[in-house]
Amino acid sequence: MAVTALYSAHYRSLVRLAVLLVRDTATAEEVVQDAFVALHGAWRRLRDPDKALAYLRQSVVNRSRSVLRHRAVVEKYAPKGMPDAPSAENGAIGALERTAVIEALRGLPTRQREALVLRYYGDLSEAEIADAMRISKGAVKSHTARGMAALRTVLEQLS
């Protein structure tokens, strides 16, 4: 089936995309799995099956945004207590996230971060990014340019 072929070919890259957006591997895997389940359920309704990968990317971006919104609500209303000890996985992931570029990327506004991740990590064209983010190509250019300028400023200050 076509969904299985898409899964085999693009699962890893979609998980990497989601990890950069939600900052958590397990959640990223869930986001991508949910996107594939939704695609499978909607396969018959797809007007153009050749655009299934674009549908998946857009679904991953949208589901990642939902996860981040949910986290913000949970954090807002969570009781303030003593934090749990970090897990071994958290320590391993933390070691990977200590690079200056990732830290600078995290400091960017959401739209700028999404545009840069999709452009330079996902290697998407401006048109594909515009489709995935549901914005115009001009807005993609603007978010990308502003994000690069902000990253350059932060990284120059660190060196």
Side-chain angles (χ1 to χ4, degrees), residues 2-18:
V3 177
T4 305
L6 281 170
Y7 184 89
S8 298
H10 300 286
Y11 175 77
R12 284 181 164 178
S13 64
L14 290 171
V15 169
R16 288 191 303 258
L17 168 65

Side-chain angles (χ1 to χ4, degrees), residues 38-136:
L39 174 66
H40 183 267
W43 187 259
R44 290 183 183 150
R45 294 187 310 269
L46 281 181
R47 291 182 190 155
D48 186 359
D50 293 334
K51 294 185 179 179
L53 181 57
Y55 173 90
L56 279 169
R57 280 193 198 110
Q58 182 175 336
S59 180
V60 167
V61 170
N62 289 340
R63 290 169 190 277
S64 296
R65 287 179 186 159
S66 294
V67 165
L68 294 174
R69 280 192 300 269
H70 177 73
R71 281 183 187 167
V73 170
V74 168
E75 286 178 18
K76 182 177 179 180
Y77 296 105
K80 305 298 181 209
M82 295 295 293
D84 293 335
S87 68
E89 284 179 44
N90 191 8
I93 292 171
L96 295 174
E97 293 177 343
R98 288 190 188 107
T99 64
V101 175
I102 296 293
E103 289 301 316
L105 192 60
R106 284 184 167 177
L108 294 177
T110 303
R111 291 290 189 152
Q112 289 177 13
R113 183 176 63 246
E114 288 174 355
L116 290 176
V117 167
L118 290 170
R119 174 69 184 105
Y120 295 105
Y121 194 79
D123 201 29
L124 300 183
S125 69
E126 288 174 352
E128 291 172 321
I129 296 169
D131 286 343
M133 292 178 67
R134 292 186 176 176
I135 58 177
S136 69

Side-chain angles (χ1 to χ4, degrees), residues 131-153:
D131 286 343
M133 292 178 67
R134 292 186 176 176
I135 58 177
S136 69
K137 286 179 19 178
V140 170
K141 290 178 185 180
S142 176
H143 289 307
T144 303
R146 289 180 185 154
M148 288 301 291
L151 281 177
R152 190 176 301 113
T153 301

